Amino acid sequence: MKSEKTAVKHRLKICMGSSCFARGNQNNLKVLESLILQHEFDWEIELTGSRCENKCSCGPNIEINGKMYNGIDTGSLIDLLNSVLVPGELKIINEYNNEI
């Protein structure tokens, strides 16, 4: 009997409020969408947006699996994804430096 591995589901919520969007979440969203489309991960991703997380002065803000992360730019986003989503697996390479 063949056992099937249950896919892990990660929830990413990106703040799309005007402050976070202007401060970098516009680019972060493009990076996340690109990563989801280009890579075949062994886990599911639920990517959603929110209007405002009321932490504008700390933004751009991204929540991953219920934990809020602040001041996230594209470089720190890649580092964060590598540490939170894919520890011990093939790392996501930061190919997004200043390209978005």
Side-chain angles (χ1 to χ4, degrees), residues 37-52:
L37 292 173
Q38 291 179 10
H39 297 278
E40 292 184 25
F41 297 113
D42 289 337
W43 28 267
E44 293 180 43
I45 297 177
E46 178 184 315
L47 178 61
T48 61
S50 65
R51 289 191 179 248
C52 184

Side-chain angles (χ1 to χ4, degrees), residues 27-85:
N27 290 337
N28 288 337
L29 179 60
K30 289 177 185 177
V31 168
L32 288 170
E33 289 174 335
S34 177
L35 284 171
I36 291 167
L37 292 173
Q38 291 179 10
H39 297 278
E40 292 184 25
F41 297 113
D42 289 337
W43 28 267
E44 293 180 43
I45 297 177
E46 178 184 315
L47 178 61
T48 61
S50 65
R51 289 191 179 248
C52 184
E53 295 298 321
N54 295 316
K55 299 181 186 299
C56 302
S57 63
C58 301
N61 302 302
I62 295 178
E63 184 179 303
I64 301 177
N65 297 330
K67 183 174 180 184
M68 182 65 66
Y69 297 91
N70 312 107
I72 303 298
D73 60 19
T74 55
S76 60
L77 175 60
I78 299 297
D79 293 340
L80 182 61
L81 294 174
N82 279 325
S83 68
V84 174
L85 300 185

